[in-house]
Amino acid sequence: GVNAGTTRGFLRSGSVWSEEATLAPAAPAAQDAFGNTVAVASDVRRVIVGAFRDDTTAGADAGSAHVFVRTGTVWALESTLEATAGAMGAFFASSVAMSTDGSRVAVGAPTADTAAGPCCRTATPSTLCKDDCTCGAVNPCGDGVVQVGEECDPGGGPPCASGASFC
């Protein structure tokens, strides 16, 4: 699909680079942005690749990370990682890192909600949103992420109903 993404591995022999492998998720889909972030173990036997816009069971743009392992010259998908408490719009795998031996990874989710419990917001058309708690809930009135002090619908979606309340 459009903007599904791939990651390509190259091998240098002397002064010549040649493509060794094309890595892709098991089920690529449009707009996943697979390959936006990549990290490699120092022995180059394991790679983690982010797909921060992957739609998972947690919702649209929840994100996923894919770990590939190399045996000889063959690369294979080892595991697909998703956040345990993933959420729509979390962009899990916007950043990835891997330990030098490939045994540990860190995966960033910059818009994941860390608040305990629901986050309720109120807004009126053409006004600024007001928060009852601290979080970055996805604006159901549009496609943007609403933060304190931002306009209710920066994404250009339909206007919020007057006095709309959502979690």
Side-chain angles (χ1 to χ4, degrees):
V2 175
N3 297 324
T6 62
T7 297
R8 298 181 186 267
F10 291 83
L11 175 67
R12 190 176 97 188
S13 179
S15 62
V16 177
W17 287 92
S18 55
E19 188 172 329
E20 181 179 54
T22 298
L23 307 178
Q31 306 303 325
D32 281 353
F34 178 87
N36 186 63
T37 55
V38 177
V40 182
S42 63
D43 66 1
V44 196
R45 293 184 191 269
R46 197 167 263 119
V47 173
I48 185 168
V49 181
F52 76 99
R53 296 205 52 204
D54 187 14
D55 298 342
T56 70
T57 56
D61 297 336
S64 62
H66 306 264
V67 179
F68 293 86
V69 64
R70 180 177 56 86
T71 305
T73 60
V74 177
W75 287 90
L77 179 64
E78 181 179 52
S79 185
T80 297
L81 310 175
E82 295 178 10
T84 305
M88 178 177 74
F91 298 126
F92 181 78
S94 288
S95 58
V96 295
M98 180 174 276
S99 63
T100 57
D101 68 357
S103 66
R104 297 202 190 307
V105 298
V107 181
T111 59
D113 185 2
T114 58
C119 178
C120 298
R121 298 172 182 273
T122 57
T124 55
S126 303
T127 64
L128 299 181
C129 291
K130 299 167 183 61
D131 254 341
D132 299 278
C133 56
T134 308
C135 79
V138 174
N139 177 359
C141 302
D143 60 3
V145 175
V146 179
Q147 300 292 339
V148 179
E150 290 182 351
E151 290 187 32
C152 182
D153 187 19
C160 293
S162 183
S165 194
F166 52 91
C167 293

